[in-house]
Amino acid sequence: MMLSVENLNVFYGHIHAIKDVSLHVKEGEIVSLIGANGAGKTTTLQTISGLLKPKSGTITFEGKDITKTEAHQILQMGIAQVPEGRRIFANMTVKENLEMGAFTRKESAAQLKEERKNFYDKFPRLRERKKQMAGTLSGGEQQMLAMGRALMANPKILILDEPSMGLSPLLVKEVFEMIKTINQSGVTVLLVEQNAKMALSISNRAYVLETGKITMEGDAKELLHNESIKKAYLGA
Ligand SMILES: Nc1ncnc2c1ncn2[C@@H]1O[C@H](COP(=O)(O)OP(=O)(O)OP(=O)(O)O)[C@@H](O)[C@H]1O
Ligand SMILES: [Mg+2]
């Protein structure tokens, strides 16, 4: 197992936001976590990334207990997160944003340049805009850049928090295509989405989170055809 979360409990003061959550991600998978507003999706992701500390439970990554590990070390171990709302550096260029993503790397400047080139080869739309200020990119391009910046940390697993939020249907499609491409290049993906239909359609497995608890889990294609999922999350 690449990533295992066992019986996680997270509090904000007295608010018990995450209740005994267990989930796992195998190497190479796309796993999605779906749920309504306030279900605890972001809280779960931030706890995995080390930005929040749980009251109890364990998080294991490649056999190592990372429950108490600092966020920057977790990033260095290979877990990179694209936060909700993207948060790119608006006053920096596309290229500078990608450079920032590589700040924990110890490889040579030439090696990192080569990786940026590979990234631009895969996502040429950003190459055309490499000197453009990131804040002037469209919402979809900003999401692509945010993913690119996270990839520059050379992660083993990429964690995405609502990558399709606020995007037009066409851009949503592009962003999901990009996630598939990233996964096919060997990066495991843990995806949080309110767009359950798109998320399930590209995932291997999925978990449903409701008010802090996992209420359902299984094969993504099966969940896509599950009646209660359809009613609650697929607008059917
Ligand atoms: N900093 C905070 N202080 C207090 N409560 C918080 C804080 N952040 C989140 N919460 C609460 O924890 C619960 C889970 O929030 P979280 O942001 O994880 O939900 P979410 O599933 O990501 O929702 P959304 O789909 O709206 O992004 C909510 O009830 C929220 O109000
Ligand atoms: Mg959230």
Side-chain angles (χ1 to χ4, degrees):
M1 204 57 62
M2 184 178 234
L3 176 71
S4 292
V5 172
E6 298 287 346
N7 302 313
L8 199 67
N9 285 284
V10 184
F11 287 76
Y12 294 106
H14 293 295
I15 299 171
H16 193 176
I18 297 299
K19 299 165 187 156
D20 276 324
V21 163
S22 298
L23 59 87
H24 62 272
V25 183
K26 291 179 223 160
E27 189 174 353
E29 281 189 312
I30 300 181
V31 172
S32 54
L33 180 61
I34 61 176
N37 287 120
K41 304 180 298 297
T42 298
T43 304
T44 303
L45 297 189
Q46 291 195 329
T47 309
I48 293 170
S49 300
L51 299 169
L52 291 172
K53 291 295 164 197
K55 184 148 200 179
S56 63
T58 44
I59 304 170
T60 312
F61 180 62
E62 296 192 314
K64 292 187 198 79
D65 185 341
I66 58 163
T67 318
K68 296 195 163 78
T69 306
E70 299 283 339
H72 70 274
Q73 280 175 306
I74 290 176
L75 174 63
Q76 267 175 333
M77 290 169 81
I79 301 180
Q81 189 177 336
V82 179
E84 193 172 358
R86 337 204 207 282
R87 289 188 241 143
I88 45 143
F89 301 108
N91 296 321
M92 290 187 188
T93 64
V94 166
K95 175 170 177 268
E96 287 163 347
N97 268 272
L98 293 179
E99 286 169 348
M100 292 299 287
F103 82 101
T104 58
R105 304 280 302 278
K106 294 181 173 64
E107 286 80 357
S108 68
Q111 165 74 23
L112 295 174
K113 190 177 176 186
E114 181 66 20
E115 286 184 28
R116 279 201 303 280
K117 184 182 166 293
N118 292 340
F119 174 76
Y120 290 138
D121 286 345
K122 259 189 248 148
F123 306 105
R125 193 202 273 245
L126 289 173
R127 169 177 279 133
E128 289 163 24
R129 291 165 173 77
K130 73 182 158 186
K131 290 185 182 148
Q132 189 171 325
M133 286 297 161
T136 65
L137 296 171
S138 74
E141 290 161 357
Q142 289 188 18
Q143 182 60 44
M144 288 176 194
L145 177 58
M147 291 198 268
R149 188 180 62 187
L151 287 175
M152 290 306 289
N154 197 26
K156 293 172 180 162
I157 180 167
L158 184 64
I159 296 183
L160 301 167
D161 195 350
E162 306 216 22
S164 80
M165 193 168 43
L167 301 182
S168 69
L170 190 68
L171 282 175
V172 168
K173 237 180 128 203
E174 274 188 46
V175 164
F176 277 93
E177 282 301 320
M178 184 167 173
I179 296 168
K180 277 202 279 186
T181 306
I182 289 167
N183 179 248
Q184 281 157 8
S185 75
V187 182
T188 303
V189 175
L190 175 59
L191 173 65
V192 153
E193 263 296 335
Q194 285 200 37
N195 190 332
K197 196 170 185 174
M198 286 297 266
L200 291 176
S201 70
I202 67 160
S203 296
N204 301 98
R205 291 184 305 108
Y207 295 85
V208 178
L209 192 61
E210 280 176 37
T211 54
K213 285 195 182 126
I214 301 283
T215 54
M216 220 183 282
E217 63 178 278
D219 178 85
K221 302 294 171 292
E222 281 168 24
L223 291 178
L224 203 50
H225 296 105
N226 178 289
E227 288 307 320
S228 66
I229 298 269
K230 277 192 192 170
K231 274 203 197 95
Y233 302 104
L234 304 175

